[in-house]
Amino acid sequence: MESKQIHTFLIKLGERYPHPAQLVLLGGSALCLLGSPRPTVDIDYVGDDLKKNELQKTMEELASEMGLDVEAVPIDRFIPLPADGHKRNLYVNKFRKIEVSILDPYGIALSKLDRGFDTDIDDIVFLIQRGLVEMDNLEQIMQDALPNARKFDIDPSELRAHLQEVKNRLR
């Protein structure tokens, strides 16, 4: 899926969902909207994957009709999000009554550092090259997250190794 399909989905969602709402995207779909050349397989958004609200149910119905996948990601259960991260969310657009933004790029980068797949490292490099993430700030955010690593089942040594891989790819 590429950014055009994501935009089409958001337009149709805005037409279908009549109530004011906030939608925060993350993962590959967010990166597509930021200009990443790598397509994504689904539209990830911040949400509760167990208790779905009306917006989420509408999103799932529309995605099914369009042959797309949407996935609620309870990101705050996976990583210790930076305390001031909401201030760095990136506004995308308003689709009728739905305001769409992208999760703080540092929150996205931290989640990708944690997972550490090859494509995740590429995504962090993309964020840095786009000027959305600065290496020194990312390193500080990672350091700030380490005291809570056990709570989130994060391996600090893997996190550091993944950050080093990002640095190696930027050379």
Side-chain angles (χ1 to χ4, degrees):
M1 175 180 344
E2 295 177 358
S3 64
K4 185 176 180 177
Q5 288 173 292
I6 298 167
H7 272 285
T8 300
F9 174 80
L10 294 171
I11 289 166
K12 290 182 178 190
L13 180 63
E15 291 168 352
R16 185 174 293 192
Y17 192 75
H19 309 290
Q22 301 280 325
L23 179 62
V24 181
L25 303 176
L26 70 156
S29 54
L31 293 171
C32 277
L33 292 177
L34 292 172
S36 174
R38 192 168 65 78
T40 185
V41 296
D42 59 8
I43 298 173
D44 295 322
Y45 64 94
V46 176
D48 190 328
D49 56 342
L50 301 175
K51 295 180 185 177
K52 303 212 187 252
N53 62 30
E54 287 305 310
L55 176 62
Q56 290 173 283
K57 291 174 186 173
T58 302
M59 289 175 67
E60 288 181 352
E61 289 169 8
L62 178 60
S64 178
E65 291 168 19
M66 294 178 67
L68 305 175
D69 289 321
V70 294
E71 183 176 350
V73 179
I75 191 72
D76 58 344
R77 285 193 235 151
F78 297 132
I79 61 164
L81 290 169
D84 60 346
H86 65 282
K87 295 177 184 175
R88 289 187 299 264
N89 284 2
L90 305 171
Y91 181 77
V92 173
N93 207 340
K94 192 167 185 177
F95 298 86
R96 300 232 175 144
K97 293 184 177 183
I98 302 173
E99 287 194 19
V100 178
S101 60
I102 292 172
L103 184 72
D104 167 26
Y106 288 96
I108 292 173
L110 186 61
S111 71
K112 289 182 171 290
L113 269 181
D114 177 38
R115 195 167 67 172
F117 293 162
D118 197 49
T119 53
D120 293 322
I121 303 302
D122 288 341
D123 289 342
I124 298 167
V125 168
F126 166 79
L127 289 169
I128 292 169
Q129 290 174 337
R130 273 299 182 110
L132 298 168
V133 167
E134 293 179 6
M135 181 57 74
D136 290 344
N137 291 344
L138 177 58
E139 197 159 6
Q140 185 60 55
I141 285 171
M142 182 195 78
Q143 290 297 332
D144 293 346
L146 291 179
N148 293 313
R150 291 193 197 282
K151 178 181 174 187
F152 290 90
D153 196 27
I154 293 173
D155 181 338
S157 62
E158 284 185 12
L159 214 56
R160 289 185 189 100
H162 297 156
L163 183 66
Q164 185 58 52
E165 180 58 28
V166 170
K167 290 178 180 180
N168 293 345
R169 291 191 192 185
L170 287 169
R171 290 187 181 139

